[in-house]
Amino acid sequence: MAVGENGPLLDVRNISVTFRGADGPPARAVENVSFTVGRGETLALVGESGCGKSVSGLAIMRLIQSPPGIIESGQVLFEGKDLLALPEPEMRKVRGGKITMIFQEPMTSLNPVFTIGFQIAEAIHAH
């Protein structure tokens, strides 16, 4: 039996993300966000613009640009492994190969010259 097979597929525990600007105090973008997703389940993060949906996803994928952003606290367990503790080479194998993010703005994510099927297959072949 594989590690994490009995537990949730994704277990996000108390993630907090802050962005530090050149002027003024740091801005807390996400504070103590927690949720779990079991195998075969779907979770939708829904909220108004600026509430932290994308930042939460970027934190899970360890794609927060630092500086100015920092994941201050929390754990992200994926298949039983803490993604925030993985060395970057191992995280690159997880990113795109086992877990991915579809960004909100399709014009910056998809190339209109190629079919969507081709672009999805290209990502699968790459990983």
Side-chain angles (χ1 to χ4, degrees):
M1 197 170 285
V3 174
E5 199 168 296
N6 290 328
L9 179 64
L10 178 65
D11 187 4
V12 177
R13 299 177 181 174
N14 299 310
I15 290 293
S16 293
V17 179
T18 299
F19 290 92
R20 302 182 194 290
D23 299 329
R28 176 73 46 98
V30 172
E31 186 170 7
N32 296 322
V33 169
S34 298
F35 58 86
T36 59
V37 181
R39 294 180 186 280
E41 291 181 340
T42 301
L43 172 76
L45 296 179
V46 179
E48 62 188 43
S49 179
C51 74
K53 302 178 301 289
S54 294
V55 172
S56 296
L58 291 169
I60 290 166
M61 301 280 294
R62 277 189 28 202
L63 293 173
I64 298 291
Q65 184 69 36
S66 179
I70 184 169
I71 301 170
E72 290 191 326
S73 63
Q75 277 188 308
V76 177
L77 302 174
F78 178 72
E79 295 183 334
K81 292 182 184 178
D82 187 355
L83 298 184
L84 300 182
L86 287 180
E88 185 57 30
E90 196 171 336
M91 185 61 200
R92 271 187 298 234
K93 291 177 185 175
V94 173
R95 223 184 273 125
K98 292 193 166 251
I99 189 170
T100 192
M101 181 172 178
I102 300 171
F103 293 93
Q104 295 180 62
E105 181 53 55
M107 292 308 291
T108 61
S109 300
L110 299 173
N111 185 336
V113 176
F114 299 102
T115 66
I116 291 173
F118 173 81
Q119 292 175 74
I120 292 171
E122 182 180 39
I124 292 169
H125 290 310
H127 297 284

